[in-house]
DNA sequence: GTCTATACGCTGATAGAC
DNA sequence: GTCTATCAGCGTATAGAC
């Protein structure tokens, strides 16, 4: 699933999306006005409207790359043979993604505006179901369903919690992954069971 | 710590706080206007302003009971003898609180407006540090620090995730508690080690 | 406790000049 | 691409009548 098909990048556009993400992370989507974005960029609101026709379009553009990444993770994971291998691939992919984009995670999962927006796109709803299935495997026990939800929350928190800011990427990645495995009752996988 | 000292309840006031919480949970604090609150109540904005002098006051009043509850949990937990017993008391107290107030958790931990507000009150910052220390124990390994953060995220998600809506309180409580213990690498505690 | 009326800044959004 | 100018509507908040 490619959400931002063939849209020419443009440095100004990328800059706008970057400051928008920063502001969304601090104030939430509803708490961020186009004026704020324009101020940080040092331009006027009208200049912002030149690149995006509405606020919703900005939100979608901010979220799109992450959604694409998650979709790619799901694609790769689903290509594996065993449920355990699929889960492992999804898990490590998600953890990597979160660690590499710490700011983004909170905006994606916690912001009610983004949540509503995502719920309006059937593709995104289906994507989150796919991820859920990958993490729990088929016919999961209730305990594992709750565990999978907690994994989602735990990964989200990694982007928000100031306590975790001191961790470097590699350490955070390792601890998040091992925490997620404990939640899902997965033994640290050996090497032989790839693909 | 009692945040709402000696304020007479008043049925209208309680009703207002309840609908405010519902709206905050769906739209976020910034995304909820006083007009929305007034509309649901079937009154005008001015009627809302009769009971609270500002929107911030409403937010604080919504959050206050939960903050008090958390403070009481911390007090009780810190009165225990061993670190393990303190952690266990804090954990089960928090899980109970979250399960009994599913709507509230997301608003409390995920909303950026609430986060900023809380950061302005030193008492609340200190409270969240106390909870963190109770969960990790003294001198925690990095793994446990990340685990404690994930517990926070996991509990928050319990109030937001529609996947978990089907669970009844008792089942959700049990699974959240066992998930949290796995994250913190705690064995299910025996009976003899209370107080 | 609730109402009407009012204040004024800021919101998202548009039109047209440079 | 950015600007100025402008719009209607809504945001929080106040004053005063019932």
């Amino acid at each position: 699933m490619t959400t931002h098909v063939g849209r020419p990048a443009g440095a100004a556009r990328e800059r706008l999306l970057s400051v928008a993400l920063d502001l969304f992370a601090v104030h939430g989507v509803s708490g961020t006005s186009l004026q704020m974005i324009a101020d940080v960029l040092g331009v006027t609101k009208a200049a912002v409207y030149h690149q995006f026709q509405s606020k919703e379009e900005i939100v979608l553009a901010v979220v799109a790359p992450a959604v694409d990444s998650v979709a790619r993770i799901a694609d790769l994971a689903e290509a594996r043979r065993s449920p355990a291998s699929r889960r492992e691939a999804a898990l490590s992919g998600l953890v990597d993604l979160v660690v590499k984009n710490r700011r983004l995670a909170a905006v994606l999962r916690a912001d009610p505006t983004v949540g509503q927006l995502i719920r309006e796109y059937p593709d995104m709803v289906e994507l989150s179901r796919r991820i859920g299935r990958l993490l729990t495997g088929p016919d999961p026990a209730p305990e594992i369903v709750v565990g999978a939800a907690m994994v989602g929350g735990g990964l989200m928190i990694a982007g928000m919690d100031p306590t975790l800011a001191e961790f470097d990427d590699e350490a955070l990645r390792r601890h998040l992954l091992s925490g997620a495995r404990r939640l899902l009752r997965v033994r640290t996988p050996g090497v032989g069971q790839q693909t």
Side-chain angles (χ1 to χ4, degrees), chain A:
Chain A
M1 187 176 79
T2 301
T3 320
H4 56 314
V5 272
R7 229 194 254 112
R13 194 190 154 90
E14 290 307 312
R15 223 165 72 82
L16 193 158
L17 290 178
S18 174
V19 319
L21 174 55
D22 285 339
L23 289 168
F24 288 165
V26 175
H27 305 282
V29 173
S30 296
T32 301
S33 68
L34 299 183
Q35 185 68 69
M36 290 175 173
I37 297 174
D39 284 351
V40 173
L41 288 171
V43 298
T44 62
K45 275 191 294 179
V48 171
Y49 268 100
H50 176 74
Q51 315 209 30
F52 298 92
Q53 284 175 358
S54 70
K55 190 180 180 180
E56 183 171 318
E57 219 178 79
I58 298 180
V59 176
L60 279 174
V62 164
V63 162
V67 173
D68 287 347
S69 297
V70 173
R72 227 174 42 247
I73 290 168
D75 288 343
L76 288 174
E78 283 165 352
R80 302 283 189 112
R81 284 219 186 85
S82 71
S85 173
R86 285 200 283 274
R87 176 183 53 215
E88 193 53 29
L91 211 47
S92 78
L94 286 177
V95 169
D96 275 356
L97 182 62
V98 165
V99 170
K100 280 178 193 146
N101 306 281
R102 298 198 194 191
R103 300 177 304 172
L104 186 60
V107 178
L108 252 185
R109 277 205 65 114
D111 196 291
T113 310
V114 177
Q116 273 178 273
L117 204 59
I118 284 183
R119 253 166 266 133
E120 288 172 17
Y121 289 78
D123 283 359
M124 300 201 193
V125 175
E126 176 56 22
L127 178 57
S128 90
R129 280 213 202 92
R130 284 169 69 197
I131 292 290
R133 257 179 271 131
L134 283 165
L135 291 185
T136 60
D139 250 331
E143 179 189 45
I144 302 302
V145 174
V146 175
M150 291 179 82
V151 167
L155 295 186
M156 160 173 48
I157 214 77
M160 293 186 1
D161 198 320
T163 314
L164 303 185
E166 48 173 313
F167 286 87
D168 66 82
D169 285 5
E170 173 47 27
L172 184 58
R173 203 195 71 87
R174 217 174 50 242
H175 296 314
L176 284 175
L177 200 50
S178 87
R181 289 203 187 106
R182 268 173 278 148
L183 270 175
L184 297 174
R185 290 197 172 286
V186 184
R187 288 268 148 253
T188 297
V191 190
Q193 54 190 44
Q194 303 271 328
T195 291

